[in-house]
Amino acid sequence: MPRPRRAVPAWLAHPFRWQRLPVPWAAVARGTLCAGPLLAAGIATGHPAPGVLTALGSMLAGVNDRPGTRRTGIVHIGLPALAAALGMLLGASLRAADAGWWVVPALSAVGFVSGAGSVAGPVRSTAGMQMLAATVLGAGMPLPGAPWAKALYVLAGCLWLLLLRLVLRSPRPAGGPLSGERAAVATVFDALADALAAVGGPGAEPARRRLTAALDRADEALRLRRLTSRLLRRPARPEELLLAERFAAATALCEASVALLWEARPLPARVAAGPRRFAEALRTGRSPGRLSAPERSSAARGAFDHALLDAAVAFARERPLPPATTREDLPPARAGGVRGALGPAGRDYGLRVAVCIGASAAVALLLRADHWYWLPATVTFLVKPDLGPLFSRTVNRFAGTAAGVLVFAAAGAWLTGGWWPAVIAGAGGALLPFATRHFALQTGAITLMVLSFVYVGGARQAAAERIVDTSLACAIVLVVGHLPHLADPRRRVGPRVTEALRSTERFLRYVLEPRPAAPGAVATHRLALRRDAYRTLAQARAAAETAAAEFHPARDPGPDWPTVVTAAERIADAATACAVRLDRGARRPGPEEAERLCQALSAMADALEDPGRRPPGTPPPVLRPVPDCATLTDVAAELERLRGYAGAR
């Protein structure tokens, strides 16, 4: 009998994963017009140092040039740009003061702040990483100029790309100043249609996760739009209120679609045609046309057709309804931000980055005191725990650096004159937006650009040293990153999963408990709670999948985090299906049954947050099926599964 083939471990297979994304041609054009032309301008005017610094700033901004609206682009590029300028000011000040070995504790302190900020959100995490990278480069690169001037040059390079972002954009749908937001909401309807087409098949749950991601992006775009209006003290325009109503209709449709996904019965193709018509209407500004006839085969299908009719009314409306603001519309309070950065996960992240940066800077100063900055700069992009599994990052970083050095060396051998580094930098800038699909490719593009900057700055023979420095950086990060305290996935992933469980418990409690408020207010607040639950679940899944792909030298890998998150997602799905059935007339469960389920879910979060909270030998609560609503039986079953996975320590 042939032996069964063993699956490749996740930590070994992850370096070969490749994201399939559309080519962002507008971002490619912006990248072509950034670092290369700025570096060429410095060479042409005889001032290479300003050209290098502005090109460096544009490269750092290009890493954050992702698809989105103009306002999201300003936030995602602008905040890290300010952080990079601050880092350059700090680093250049250290160099001007001739800090010597004092640069090691200074960089460690900046590394701690950078790592702790990683738990405060993706934008703050990127800002912290770029602040640390700019600090290292400012302290190590031998470029003339005052510290404040260097910081302004870096900021100018970032602002140049941001200006191009506002001018060179992808084709947008009709809608004037709201075109980006309309495109984001249209993507939600497209993702909803894809999820409906996948009902009953193996791709149903991944389609639902893509729908959650589309909802998050659209919600962020509309929130930034409202924030801008409040900052400018300008009342919301009618077209903004209409778009908000259509997004609310999309959210209600998504709730009904989750109930259909839960039933797992394949749907006819005409069901997905309605959301696609709405997406096309948002892109073109035309009417969505006729929709399919309603069907009442199940409670979920009836709720979906009712939500489809409400969406059609929202699209047919030419004037927005008067806004009704109640306390029920407020989103639930959540822990995070600065509080999260000061928590255990933030301290662990910060300590891990600080130790790696300090060790790499000390080793670099011992090896070569003149060009020491490459080693800690490489560690900066390797050690950030939210960028992917550690082993995968180190393998891809070394491969990308080696490839970039070889390409740069070949270009130097074939090309002549003083302009060819600017050409290489322009090619790297054009490749950078496309390279986001794989870390090795992104590393290769960045290596080409940085080597061009270093060459123009005067270090003509530095390419060969980069491979040695990168090897040392990978070794340092692998050793420090697998220290027992700093690499414990329970401390890094546990808070995310705990927050997701608590958000799910709030949503489940709101669904099961009777509410005396008006039906509209109840539905609005329930949708806000459901969005919060799925948003935190998506963040927990990203952290859990990263932890699952880490290399675990110990025999006990800890809890099965992805399975815990999957069970929690199914609880949220079941609660959504339950809410739909209750709206369609199902009998509401008694308060004892509802409290028992919510307490059980809360107990799972407590067990993950503090394993010693429950006295030893005390069994968790026993869950019995609840007959009042069919999906509550599924909730109880998922809670049983969740208890088993969360208890596997």
Side-chain angles (χ1 to χ4, degrees), residues 30 33-35 38 53-62 64-65 73-85 130 151-168:
R30 292 190 293 267
L33 297 176
C34 275
L38 291 175
L53 291 171
T54 53
L56 175 64
S58 69
M59 183 197 74
L60 294 176
N64 306 316
D65 190 7
I74 291 174
V75 173
H76 293 174
I77 297 176
L79 182 60
L82 294 175
Q130 295 198 352
L152 288 180
Y153 284 133
V154 170
L155 184 61
C158 297
L159 294 179
W160 170 246
L161 185 134
L162 187 58
L163 177 63
L164 292 177
R165 172 69 183 256
L166 300 178
V167 175
L168 299 179

Side-chain angles (χ1 to χ4, degrees), residues 101 103-105 107-108 136 355-368 372-373 375-377 379 476:
W101 280 91
V103 75
V104 176
L107 291 180
S108 298
V136 172
V355 172
C356 287
I357 290 295
S360 63
V363 171
L365 286 171
L366 284 174
L367 291 178
R368 53 181 73 90
W372 59 268
Y373 56 89
L375 204 159
V379 168
I476 291 173

Side-chain angles (χ1 to χ4, degrees), residues 222-544:
L222 294 179
R223 283 176 182 269
L224 287 176
R225 184 83 190 190
R226 291 193 297 269
L227 177 61
T228 303
S229 299
R230 287 197 297 268
L231 291 177
L232 296 177
R233 300 183 182 274
R234 176 180 60 82
R237 297 170 181 170
E239 57 269 21
E240 295 175 357
L241 296 176
L242 277 175
L243 185 60
E245 290 179 7
R246 292 169 182 178
F247 177 67
T251 306
L253 264 175
C254 291
E255 183 182 61
S257 70
V258 170
L260 291 173
L261 287 168
W262 182 259
E263 290 182 349
R265 287 184 288 185
L267 301 171
R270 65 177 181 274
V271 176
R276 294 201 189 278
R277 288 179 179 270
F278 291 138
E280 186 65 20
L282 282 169
R283 292 190 173 96
T284 61
R286 296 193 295 265
S287 171
R290 299 181 60 182
L291 302 175
S292 60
E295 182 182 327
R296 308 286 179 175
S297 57
S298 66
R301 182 64 189 275
F304 178 82
D305 287 331
H306 183 77
L308 195 69
L309 179 61
D310 290 342
V313 172
F315 272 80
R317 193 181 297 122
E318 297 182 356
R319 293 184 178 180
L321 295 175
T325 57
T326 65
R327 290 186 61 86
E328 296 288 347
D329 296 332
L330 299 177
R334 292 176 50 203
V338 178
R339 290 177 57 190
L342 298 177
R347 292 195 300 269
D348 285 355
Y349 274 47
L351 183 61
R352 181 177 179 178
V353 176
V355 172
C356 287
I357 290 295
S360 63
V363 171
L365 286 171
L366 284 174
L367 291 178
R368 53 181 73 90
D370 49 349
H371 300 296
W372 59 268
Y373 56 89
W374 186 276
L375 204 159
T378 302
V379 168
T380 300
F381 294 98
L382 280 177
V383 73
K384 292 287 284 185
D386 52 340
L387 294 180
L390 180 58
F391 180 80
S392 177
R393 292 200 308 272
T394 54
V395 170
N396 287 323
R397 179 73 186 185
F398 181 82
T401 301
V405 168
L406 291 176
V407 171
F408 187 84
W414 283 92
L415 301 177
T416 58
W419 295 91
W420 68 269
V423 176
I424 297 298
L431 180 62
L432 194 58
F434 175 81
T436 55
R437 59 192 66 204
H438 196 273
F439 190 60
L441 188 60
Q442 186 180 38
T443 300
I446 292 176
T447 300
L448 287 174
M449 300 174 74
V450 174
L451 287 177
S452 301
F453 305 156
V454 171
Y455 188 91
V456 174
R460 302 298 175 91
Q461 304 296 328
E465 298 175 355
R466 304 313 175 196
I467 297 181
V468 177
D469 290 347
T470 301
S471 303
L472 292 173
C474 292
I476 291 173
V477 171
L478 282 174
V479 172
V480 176
H482 286 101
L483 292 178
H485 179 74
L486 299 182
D488 188 358
R490 294 183 181 90
R491 297 177 65 87
R492 293 192 286 115
V493 186
R496 297 273 186 175
V497 178
T498 301
E499 183 183 8
L501 292 178
R502 297 203 185 283
S503 299
T504 306
E505 186 266 335
R506 286 194 294 265
F507 173 51
L508 178 62
R509 185 179 296 277
Y510 197 87
V511 167
L512 298 183
E513 291 182 352
R515 297 284 170 178
V522 171
T524 301
H525 192 59
R526 189 179 73 198
L527 291 176
L529 286 170
R530 189 182 68 83
R531 290 289 307 114
D532 185 67
Y534 280 109
R535 184 184 298 110
T536 55
L537 284 168
Q539 295 171 354
R541 171 165 290 279

Side-chain angles (χ1 to χ4, degrees), residues 102-118:
W102 285 103
V103 75
V104 176
L107 291 180
S108 298
V110 177
F112 182 85
V113 175
S114 172
S118 298

